[in-house]
Amino acid sequence: MSLLLLACSCSPVGSTPQSESESESESDSPVDTPVDTELEGPHIPSFELAQGFVPIGLGRAVSVQDVDGDGDLDVLSASSGMAQPGNSSLQLHLQNSDGSYTWATESWGLSYDLDLWGLVPIDPDGDGVNQLLMTGAGWSGIAGNHLLTLSPFGSVLEGAPRGACGDGASMGASVADFDQNGFLDLVIANGSAHEWGGCTDVLFNPGDRLQPSFQVGSGELQGFGTVSQDLSGDGFPELVVLGGTGCTIYQNAGEEPWFYLDDPDYRFFERVRTEEQDQNWPIASLTTVLLDYDQDGDLDVYVCSFGDPKDESLGDYQVLLRNDGDMAFVNVAPDVGAAIGGGCMGVGTGDIDLNGYPDLYLGTGGPEAHMASDNLLLLNSGGQFQDVATQAGVAWKGRTHGIEFADMNQDGHMDLVANSGGAMPGQEEGLRVALNQGGPYAGVPVVLEGPPSNPDGVGTRIQARTEQGNFYSWRIRGQGFASSNLGPTWVGVGDAQEVTVIARFPDGSTAESAPLSPPFETLTLRWEE
């Protein structure tokens, strides 16, 4: 096992609830018309806001999925505290046929007082049906997690399986098949800024349940964010955990007990934060995503750490670990335009312009009142990042946490979903879906049909082979601010004219498409036993 540490109001059913602050929030809404730009280089996307969203909340995670089975992607959002309309910590917005959204929290029986943080689908009994894992308490204290079965006839809420840590200050969660038995396992990060913070659980699935194994990271304040995927290329997923000490990458040894915590041959350590930074921000690292930023076929790691946006020294906290293979990682953030000045609370990744290179959207700033700042959209052009948020109309000021990229209105363009809100009443912000108005590039939306125990193909690498080279994307569940996306996985191919798509499932088996030409339609790739 390897370890790398881097500093790195209720309303009528079907209606949208109103609030006293709604008119004020609308006056501060982001630009909702296309924006022209004179910037040269990468294509600058422009966005319009989808209508019908509740404009307040102490926003945490988002989950994008087709909740009502009509073929359109809907949005579930988590909130912390009780400042949101409908007095619920979970909000559901269903997409209408015209692309607008309707608040449906009450009609679906989802009015809960739970103080939620993370939203990650998981199939705990291996029957091929997902439930929604909702992590709770987080920064606020100790509480149990919950599993939600969504149904228009009456949703069912129950307690989630407990790990070795017991009830914790749970925030992040991620899903992967660590032991390669065909059933998805679960990681829950139980970190906090307070005395109750501290451990990370791995729950293995032998085929019919999730059962606790051991505490992975029991260090003080460790366990805010997590993400899991194969980083070493051997088919066994690694585990990334963020906390007060930075970013820890645990290498999967490929055999029981899978993670060797004390063996120096399975542990790597590097420190990039100064002693002064440690004293000022001892609980910095918060969220992380995996992306192949340079499209070399290996997943890289971006670490997002909060702080004062006026403190330029915090640029050192934003770390992009280039994966050089053999569990060797190099921080290249300053070299590729990803080492932003100031802090970051939420991060999401996806190829917003479908040029083949994944981009980053950052919810900047920190939890204190003076730390609100403009969000950033780092557009990736051939492995170099450039902030275009202002030109694109998505430089929203506030504290954005849950972020996902998805084609929400199925027009062939990647859209942006963002859930925002601070840490206390008075810092209510908004849930937004920003619809991409298009561009010159193209991509292939891929639907995976995996084995019965993993029907969504979590952990699958998707390769697009083109005359311009290879482009890669991955099916990852639970990253950024414990958020998730059950829509198709997109792989951008730029202006390629002939594309073959290959899915490599977690068990090593592959499925390959016939050669494709633009315009590309949704492609389904199936696992075969």
Side-chain angles (χ1 to χ4, degrees):
M1 164 67 230
S2 299
L3 170 70
L4 173 63
L5 175 59
L6 292 114
C8 49
S9 150
C10 294
S11 300
V13 172
S15 65
T16 300
Q18 304 295 311
S19 70
E20 294 179 358
S21 61
E22 184 167 3
S23 59
E24 180 181 352
S25 298
E26 289 176 347
S27 66
D28 295 330
S29 62
V31 175
D32 60 358
T33 56
V35 177
D36 294 326
T37 178
E38 297 179 355
L39 290 181
E40 298 179 357
H43 168 69
I44 312 300
S46 60
F47 295 87
E48 292 182 354
L49 287 178
Q51 302 300 305
F53 283 96
V54 177
I56 66 172
L58 298 177
R60 300 296 179 253
V62 294
S63 182
V64 175
Q65 55 184 287
D66 181 7
V67 174
D68 55 4
D70 65 353
D72 296 322
L73 290 174
D74 310 304
V75 182
L76 288 151
S77 59
S79 289
S80 185
M82 287 290 98
Q84 51 285 334
N87 195 35
S88 177
S89 48
L90 181 68
Q91 298 289 326
L92 170 61
H93 288 85
L94 297 177
Q95 187 173 172
N96 304 314
S97 58
D98 63 357
S100 67
Y101 290 80
T102 296
W103 182 76
T105 303
E106 190 176 73
S107 62
W108 276 65
L110 302 179
S111 297
Y112 303 124
D113 181 359
L114 294 175
D115 194 0
L116 297 180
W117 290 71
L119 300 176
V120 177
I122 178 69
D123 176 14
D125 56 8
D127 65 355
V129 178
N130 282 318
Q131 294 176 281
L132 186 66
L133 174 72
M134 306 190 299
T135 65
W139 215 262
S140 309
I142 296 175
N145 301 312
H146 293 81
L147 284 172
L148 176 66
T149 303
L150 290 161
S151 170
F153 309 106
S155 298
V156 178
L157 182 71
E158 59 185 313
R162 298 175 60 181
C165 300
D167 290 340
S170 304
M171 295 179 66
S174 59
V175 175
D177 184 5
F178 293 113
D179 55 4
Q180 287 297 309
N181 69 344
F183 296 91
L184 293 174
D185 311 310
L186 173 66
V187 180
I188 302 176
N190 299 288
S192 173
H194 307 287
E195 64 274 10
W196 48 73
C199 65
T200 300
D201 268 319
V202 176
L203 290 83
F204 282 89
N205 190 343
D208 58 354
R209 68 197 184 282
L210 291 167
Q211 60 184 24
S213 56
F214 50 81
Q215 298 180 17
V216 172
S218 58
E220 183 181 2
L221 304 181
Q222 186 75 2
F224 295 158
T226 178
V227 63
S228 308
Q229 186 57 283
D230 180 16
L231 301 178
S232 61
D234 65 356
F236 289 92
E238 272 65 52
L239 169 60
V240 183
V241 180
L242 267 63
T245 53
C247 171
T248 307
I249 301 177
Y250 298 96
Q251 186 178 4
N252 192 327
E255 61 183 10
E256 258 185 317
W258 313 108
F259 300 105
Y260 294 95
L261 300 179
D262 300 320
D263 189 336
D265 291 336
Y266 288 86
R267 195 166 74 192
F268 303 89
F269 178 85
E270 180 180 351
R271 191 171 187 81
V272 299
R273 282 166 30 183
T274 67
E275 182 177 352
E276 181 181 1
Q277 288 172 333
D278 276 344
Q279 293 172 352
N280 292 337
W281 293 104
I283 50 173
S285 298
L286 190 65
T287 55
T288 182
V289 293
L290 304 178
L291 70 163
D292 186 2
Y293 90 94
D294 53 0
Q295 287 296 288
D296 66 350
D298 294 322
L299 275 170
D300 312 300
V301 185
Y302 190 81
V303 178
C304 174
S305 303
F306 73 75
D308 189 341
K310 302 178 180 64
D311 185 350
E312 293 294 326
S313 71
L314 290 173
D316 291 339
Y317 280 18
Q318 316 313 328
V319 173
L320 176 59
L321 304 177
R322 186 183 67 210
N323 187 346
D324 287 342
D326 295 326
M327 293 302 290
F329 297 88
V330 178
N331 179 22
V332 297
D335 305 319
V336 301
I340 67 168
C344 168
M345 301 192 72
V347 58
T349 186
D351 191 356
I352 201 74
D353 58 0
L354 296 174
N355 70 340
Y357 289 83
D359 311 303
L360 291 164
Y361 188 73
L362 307 182
T364 59
E368 297 187 14
H370 70 283
M371 292 183 181
S373 63
D374 294 344
N375 290 346
L376 304 179
L377 175 59
L378 301 184
L379 212 60
N380 184 353
S381 179
Q384 292 288 321
F385 292 90
Q386 180 182 4
D387 175 30
V388 299
T390 299
Q391 292 77 18
V394 292
W396 308 316
K397 181 181 292 292
R399 300 161 185 84
T400 298
H401 296 98
I403 299 165
E404 284 292 343
F405 290 69
D407 182 9
M408 300 300 292
N409 56 358
Q410 301 183 52
D411 66 351
H413 309 306
M414 296 297 289
D415 308 311
L416 176 64
V417 182
N419 197 16
S420 304
M424 61 195 69
Q427 295 179 351
E428 296 83 4
E429 293 165 11
L431 171 65
R432 300 176 175 97
V433 169
L435 301 175
N436 191 341
Q437 300 307 293
Y441 301 115
V444 184
V446 180
V447 173
L448 298 172
E449 293 186 0
S453 57
N454 182 13
D456 300 321
V458 174
T460 300
R461 188 188 75 170
I462 301 170
Q463 173 188 357
R465 190 170 61 218
T466 80
E467 76 274 13
Q468 298 178 351
N470 293 316
F471 299 100
Y472 300 91
S473 187
W474 276 260
R475 187 66 166 170
I476 299 173
R477 182 172 298 167
Q479 64 174 336
F481 204 99
S483 295
S484 54
N485 179 6
L486 296 187
T489 300
W490 282 75
V491 54
V493 297
D495 56 2
Q497 297 302 299
E498 184 171 315
V499 178
T500 300
V501 182
I502 305 104
R504 184 185 185 277
F505 291 93
D507 63 359
S509 64
T510 60
E512 183 173 327
S513 75
L516 309 173
S517 299
F520 302 108
E521 298 181 352
T522 299
L523 172 68
T524 299
L525 292 176
R526 296 176 175 87
W527 174 87
E528 294 185 6
E529 193 170 2

